[in-house]
Amino acid sequence: MKSLPYFCRGEVVRGFGRGSKELGIPTANFPDSVVDNLPADISTGIYYGWACVGNGDVYKMVMSIGWNPYYKNTKKSMETHVIHEFKEDFYGQILRVVMVGYIRPERTFDSLEALIVAINGDIEEAKLKLELPEHHKLKEDNFFISAAINGH
C-alpha cells in the first residue's frame, strides 16, 4: 500500500457504542468526512500505528477500517483503539493518527469471544511491530509535535 504511512486527523464522534460495552475495547470513531477521504489503495482491514488525542502524548494504536462484518454495518467506518488507559471519553476532541502498517483483512467471526480474541491478538502484534526503528521514528513526527505546539 503506497499510501502508508497515512496521516489523518478529525474530531472524535460517537460511534455505535459497542467498543467499550460489548468488547471491553474502547474505540474512537472518525466522522464520515475523514473516512470518505481515505486513499483508494487503503483497503479495509486492521492497521497499526500511532495516535494522539488533543494535545496529549502519542500512543500506539490499532485501527479497523471497514464494515465490521461481525456487526454487518452498512456504512464504512474507521475505529481507532488507542493502546492506553484514558480516564474519560474524548468525544469532540481532535484525534491525530498515522497508520503505519497492515495487520490483516476484515473477516467475520462466529462469536463475540472469537472477535475479542482476534482484536487482542491484533493489539499484541501492533505493540511488537511499532517497536521496529522504522516505525518507532514516526511517533516523533512533526505531525504530532506541531499539534502540541500549536494547541490544535
Side-chain angles (χ1 to χ4, degrees), residues 1-70:
M1 285 179 225
K2 64 184 185 301
S3 294
L4 294 180
Y6 180 71
F7 297 81
C8 64
R9 67 173 174 242
E11 182 179 336
V12 177
V13 298
R14 291 195 179 272
F16 300 101
R18 299 186 291 238
S20 295
K21 292 178 195 68
E22 289 187 28
L23 302 174
I25 302 163
T27 58
N29 295 267
F30 276 123
D32 293 344
S33 57
V34 175
V35 180
D36 295 342
N37 283 322
L38 277 171
D41 75 316
I42 291 187
S43 58
T44 59
I46 312 303
Y47 292 81
Y48 62 91
W50 300 100
C52 170
V53 178
N55 300 325
D57 293 332
V58 179
Y59 298 107
K60 294 174 180 176
M61 68 83 173
V62 289
M63 178 188 288
S64 169
I65 298 178
W67 287 272
N68 302 316
Y70 180 80

Side-chain angles (χ1 to χ4, degrees), residues 3-4 6 12 26 38 40 50 71 83 121 124 128 133 135 144 148 152:
S3 294
L4 294 180
Y6 180 71
V12 177
L38 277 171
W50 300 100
Y71 289 106
I83 305 171
E124 291 311 308
L128 286 173
H135 295 334
F144 295 120
H152 55 87

Side-chain angles (χ1 to χ4, degrees), residues 2 10 12 15-17 19 22 47 51 60 66 72-73 88 90-91 93 102-103 113 116 126 130 134 143 145-146 150:
K2 64 184 185 301
V12 177
F16 300 101
E22 289 187 28
Y47 292 81
K60 294 174 180 176
K72 300 176 174 58
N73 290 353
E88 57 213 24
F90 42 84
Y91 295 117
Q93 294 208 48
Y102 181 77
I103 295 177
E113 292 72 28
I116 292 167
L130 288 164
E134 64 268 28
F143 177 71
I145 295 167
S146 61
N150 298 331

Side-chain angles (χ1 to χ4, degrees), residues 77-102:
S77 67
M78 289 172 73
E79 297 180 75
T80 304
H81 171 67
V82 183
I83 305 171
H84 176 73
E85 291 285 327
F86 289 93
K87 296 198 177 10
E88 57 213 24
D89 289 338
F90 42 84
Y91 295 117
Q93 294 208 48
I94 297 297
L95 174 67
R96 287 170 162 58
V97 301
V98 55
M99 294 161 47
V100 175
Y102 181 77

